[in-house]
């Protein structure tokens, strides 16, 4: 176990972030994950970083604040927080975020408070988010078990057994076995994703049509100058990194006003500390005009009301149904993992890298190219074993992109 933990920590800083000598690392982690965060910090120092700056969080205190703090605490941006995020981002610091939380840590919190907090946070993170979406600095999101999270994934196990089982599942998703070869396996995997990305870029589809037995019947138009991206990215200085570990997706941005039809989620979504199930969207000219869910409908409505752009889409991602995460048979209740078990879409902000030259464009230029803008970006899963995706090229050819949930190209 110790060997796997050290291999995982090294993988995150050397491959996920590709840390450079003298670079600063901002490491965000729940306090419960401190032992592993320390391994990551030590691995970063082994690579010669200038400094590791810790940014701790705590589910208990987060819930206490949302339930008991005064309203003003959610309505007033914190100048110190904006400075902390902006200054390091502009300096090109690397960011490692350990994504671990109780999936229901904010269950029962007023949706109005959730929206207020998100809007205030967006003010604090404005520059940081813009630079992150444009890959201006290396960033990586990875997972570590929490007891409450592990119990949700493995409800029939004792707490200690559930945590151990979740560790095993996470190691599987990131190709860590303890043999020291995870880095090589990841380079092979990224090469496969890159080959698929190149093929999609060569075909240059005009639109995609999704159908499955859940009721999805959705047409997605793509910008004329769209680009597909894989799990790896580069900073303007040419430093490669992998933003999500694990990653199985190839993604692009849709044309903001070019989506029509119905789309149904295939897996539950954890959003704002609550679980949303059986999402169904009706979309007209890119805008979500009807939204329904069998559970967590009020949380979904809140997520869609953050701003006008939250009702439009910002990402189209392709993930084969036979991906390693899907084959595990686990529902992780964590989007980092569940989105890599299924094709997914995202409502909200689009990634500038998904159009030619987008990372150097102004907001107005991105709008003119058809990319959506929003304070939010929420992935939800739509892939199924019978998902069909047909692509139409600019010369009118129709090609099967996905058949029976998997790549057909």
């Amino acid at each position: 176990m110790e060997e796997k933990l050290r291999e995982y920590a090294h993988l995150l800083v050397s491959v996920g972030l590709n840390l450079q000598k003298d670079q600063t690392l901002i490491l965000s982690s729940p306090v419960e994950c401190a032992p592993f965060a320390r391994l990551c910090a030590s691995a970063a120092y082994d690579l010669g970083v200038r400094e590791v700056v810790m940014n701790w969080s705590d589910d208990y205190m987060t819930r206490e604040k949302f339930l008991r703090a005064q309203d003003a605490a959610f309505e007033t941006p914190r100048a110190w927080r904006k400075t902390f995020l902006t200054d390091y981002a502009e300096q090109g610091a690397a960011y490692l975020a350990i994504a671990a939380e109780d999936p229901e840590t904010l269950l029962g919190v007023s949706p109005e408070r959730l929206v207020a907090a998100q809007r205030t946070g967006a003010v604090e993170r404005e520059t940081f988010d813009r630079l992150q979406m444009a890959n201006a600095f290396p960033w990586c999101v990875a997972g570590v078990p929490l007891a409450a999270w592990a119990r949700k994934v493995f409800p029939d196990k004792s707490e200690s057994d559930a945590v151990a089982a979740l560790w095993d599942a996470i190691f599987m998703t990131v190709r860590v076995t303890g043999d020291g070869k995870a880095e090589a396996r990841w380079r092979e995997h990224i090469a496969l994703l890159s080959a698929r990305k190149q093929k999609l870029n060569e075909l240059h589809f005009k639109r995609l049509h999704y159908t499955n037995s859940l009721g999805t019947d959705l047409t997605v138009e793509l910008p004329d100058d769209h680009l597909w991206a894989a799990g790896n990215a580069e900073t303007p200085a040419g430093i490669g990194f992998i933003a999500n570990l694990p990653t199985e997706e190839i993604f692009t941005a849709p044309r903001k006003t070019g989506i029509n039809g119905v789309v149904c989620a295939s897996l539950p979504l954890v959003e704002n500390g609550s679980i949303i199930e059986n999402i169904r969207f009706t979309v007209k000219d890119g805008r979500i005009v009807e939204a329904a869910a069998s559970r967590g409908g009020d949380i979904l409505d809140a997520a869609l009301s953050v701003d006008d752009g939250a009702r439009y889409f910002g990402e189209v991602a392709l993930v084969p149904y036979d991906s390693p995460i899907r084959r595990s048979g686990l529902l992780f209740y964590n989007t980092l993992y569940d989105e890599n078990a299924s094709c997914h879409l995202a409502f909200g902000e689009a990634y500038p890298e998904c159009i030619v030259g987008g990372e150097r464009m102004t907001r107005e230029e991105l709008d003119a190219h058809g990319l959506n803008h929003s304070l939010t970006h929420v992935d939800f899963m739509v892939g199924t074993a019978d998902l069909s995706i047909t692509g139409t090229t600019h010369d009118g050819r129709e090609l099967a992109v996905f058949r029976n949930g998997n790549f057909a190209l």
Side-chain angles (χ1 to χ4, degrees):
M1 183 63 177
E2 187 66 25
E3 290 176 355
K4 289 181 180 179
L5 290 171
R6 293 188 182 280
E7 184 176 4
Y8 185 26
H10 177 75
L11 179 71
L12 295 182
V13 300
S14 65
V15 176
L17 290 174
N18 191 12
L19 281 176
Q20 304 296 299
K21 189 175 185 299
D22 300 326
Q23 190 170 28
T24 296
L25 170 62
I26 312 302
L27 206 171
S28 298
S29 172
V31 291
E32 290 182 66
C33 302
F36 183 74
R38 292 172 187 142
L39 288 179
C40 292
S42 294
Y45 280 122
D46 289 341
L47 295 176
V49 297
R50 173 185 176 180
E51 179 186 13
V52 178
V53 179
M54 296 305 305
N55 181 29
W56 298 105
S57 62
D58 179 22
D59 272 357
Y60 177 86
M61 291 306 302
T62 298
R63 181 171 177 81
E64 282 287 283
K65 177 179 178 178
F66 271 94
L67 290 176
R68 305 179 67 178
Q70 296 179 10
D71 289 341
F74 304 96
E75 298 167 353
T76 306
R78 298 161 293 180
W80 69 266
R81 182 70 175 165
K82 183 175 183 178
T83 299
F84 174 82
L85 291 166
T86 301
D87 286 1
Y88 281 118
E90 290 181 336
Q91 293 169 21
Y95 284 77
L96 175 60
I98 294 177
E101 65 177 6
D102 179 350
E104 298 180 297
T105 188
L106 298 182
L107 183 65
V109 169
S110 161
E112 290 76 19
R113 282 204 159 186
L114 296 174
V115 172
Q118 189 162 359
R119 289 173 176 165
T120 299
V123 174
E124 299 168 351
R125 298 170 58 96
E126 181 179 6
T127 300
F128 175 88
D129 287 346
R130 174 176 55 79
L131 294 173
Q132 182 181 41
M133 294 292 277
N135 295 325
F137 54 81
W139 55 281
C140 182
V141 183
V144 171
L146 289 181
W149 175 22
R151 290 196 303 269
K152 186 68 178 179
V153 179
F154 299 101
D156 298 328
K157 295 182 180 292
S158 67
E159 182 173 294
S160 60
D161 287 347
V163 170
L166 187 52
W167 265 123
D168 287 342
I170 288 174
F171 287 145
M172 178 275 297
T173 69
V174 294
R175 297 168 169 81
V176 167
T177 63
D179 63 359
K181 298 180 180 179
E183 183 170 336
R185 283 189 283 268
W186 267 97
R187 301 203 184 282
E188 292 176 2
H189 179 55
I190 290 299
L192 171 63
L193 294 181
S194 296
R196 286 177 172 168
K197 173 188 72 174
Q198 181 177 349
K199 189 164 189 176
L200 286 165
N201 281 331
E202 290 171 352
L203 287 167
H204 195 63
F205 288 113
K206 182 177 182 179
R207 60 181 174 270
L208 303 173
H209 182 211
Y210 289 62
T211 57
N212 67 14
S213 58
L214 286 180
T216 292
D217 187 351
L218 192 74
T219 299
V220 180
E221 294 183 12
L222 303 175
D224 290 341
D225 53 354
H226 74 274
L227 291 172
W228 290 89
N232 56 322
E234 277 192 1
T235 69
I239 304 300
F241 65 95
I242 301 174
N244 290 338
L245 282 176
T247 184
E248 304 288 338
E249 67 177 323
I250 301 166
F251 64 94
T252 191
R255 185 188 301 278
K256 177 179 178 178
T257 58
I259 302 181
N260 288 277
V262 173
V263 61
C264 303
S266 56
L267 293 172
L269 168 66
V270 176
E271 173 63 10
N272 279 326
S274 297
I275 297 173
I276 308 171
E277 295 181 342
N278 299 314
I279 295 172
R280 179 185 174 92
F281 290 142
T282 301
V283 189
K284 182 176 176 55
D285 296 330
R287 183 177 177 82
I288 298 170
V289 295
E290 294 181 17
S294 63
R295 176 187 178 188
D298 57 339
I299 303 300
L300 180 61
D301 290 341
L304 294 170
S305 67
V306 171
D307 58 19
D308 187 65
R311 285 192 171 268
Y312 291 84
F313 291 85
E315 182 183 354
V316 177
L318 304 180
V319 179
Y321 192 74
D322 65 359
S323 72
I325 298 175
R326 180 63 187 80
R327 289 199 304 269
S328 74
L330 294 176
L331 177 61
F332 281 84
Y333 293 99
N334 183 307
T335 299
L336 172 65
Y337 297 92
D338 292 334
E339 74 168 5
N340 284 297
S342 168
C343 283
H344 54 274
L345 303 171
F347 55 87
E349 181 81 353
Y351 287 99
E353 68 181 295
C354 292
I355 59 170
V356 177
E359 291 163 312
R360 298 182 297 277
M361 290 183 183
T362 65
R363 182 68 261 165
E364 292 72 22
E365 289 172 327
L366 293 171
D367 292 343
H369 282 260
L371 266 62
N372 187 38
H373 176 50
S374 175
L375 300 176
T376 191
H377 179 96
V378 179
D379 298 282
F380 66 99
M381 288 57 77
V382 301
T384 58
D386 65 347
L387 177 66
S388 170
I389 304 177
T390 301
T392 301
T393 63
H394 283 264
D395 59 5
R397 290 180 298 149
E398 292 189 351
L399 300 173
V401 180
F402 262 55
R403 188 185 295 116
N404 296 324
N406 289 303
F407 277 101
L409 293 173

